Amino acid sequence: FTARLAGGVVRGKLCQLAISANDQIQYDKKQLTIASGCTQVELTLTHVGKLPATSMGHDWVLVKAPDLAAVANDGLTAGAANGYVKPNDPRVIAHTKIVGGGESTSVTFSTSALKKGEQYKYLCTFPGHNALMNGDFIVQ
């Protein structure tokens, strides 16, 4: 299979995942799993709530488990202009933009940085959300 992505043609297996978030500061999934054969992942985040991004925005950020708190804290410093993700943060494997109620966004990323057996987490970096909005990202 061949997928056309920004930057050219990528050969391999594209695995698609979907997750939603709501106005109650929750993702609908506490765990996302990909097969080890996936070479690319396309994750779609849908905000099923009604509140705007300025007051109840959500994103999806993938990190190694030990980096979750530090990435969340650095996101606060990065501020809204940077989508609460520190620019060029090497600890961030992938992330979406912030979306508000009724919106969705996607990110496609290579799995080359992911290793089977390593622990990964995803989180929302909107201020105050990461304590409730996080989950395990598993590479089988």
Side-chain angles (χ1 to χ4, degrees), residues 3 8 14 22 24 28 30 32 38 44 57 61 70 73 76 78 89-90 92 95 98 110 112 122 128 133 139:
L14 176 70
N22 62 32
Q24 288 73 46
D28 70 331
K30 285 288 186 191
L32 292 169
C38 298
T44 301
V61 181
N73 288 336
L76 294 175
D89 189 334
V92 174
H95 70 92
I98 298 270
S110 169
S112 61
Y122 56 87
M133 294 186 73
V139 180

Side-chain angles (χ1 to χ4, degrees), residues 18-110:
I19 192 167
S20 65
N22 62 32
D23 288 341
Q24 288 73 46
I25 313 178
Q26 297 169 327
Y27 286 128
D28 70 331
K29 295 179 178 84
K30 285 288 186 191
Q31 180 177 306
L32 292 169
T33 304
I34 61 165
S36 58
C38 298
T39 57
Q40 297 271 320
V41 173
E42 178 187 57
L43 176 116
T44 301
L45 167 66
T46 302
H47 191 321
V48 297
K50 305 228 182 297
L51 295 172
T54 52
S55 62
M56 186 56 69
H58 298 309
D59 63 356
W60 183 90
V61 181
L62 180 62
V63 298
K64 288 183 179 177
D67 294 332
L68 186 140
V71 168
N73 288 336
D74 286 350
L76 294 175
T77 307
N82 293 305
Y84 302 105
V85 175
K86 180 178 160 186
N88 304 311
D89 189 334
R91 299 166 301 183
V92 174
I93 298 164
H95 70 92
T96 67
K97 67 179 186 172
I98 298 270
V99 292
E103 298 176 326
S104 67
T105 184
S106 295
V107 62
T108 301
F109 58 96
S110 169

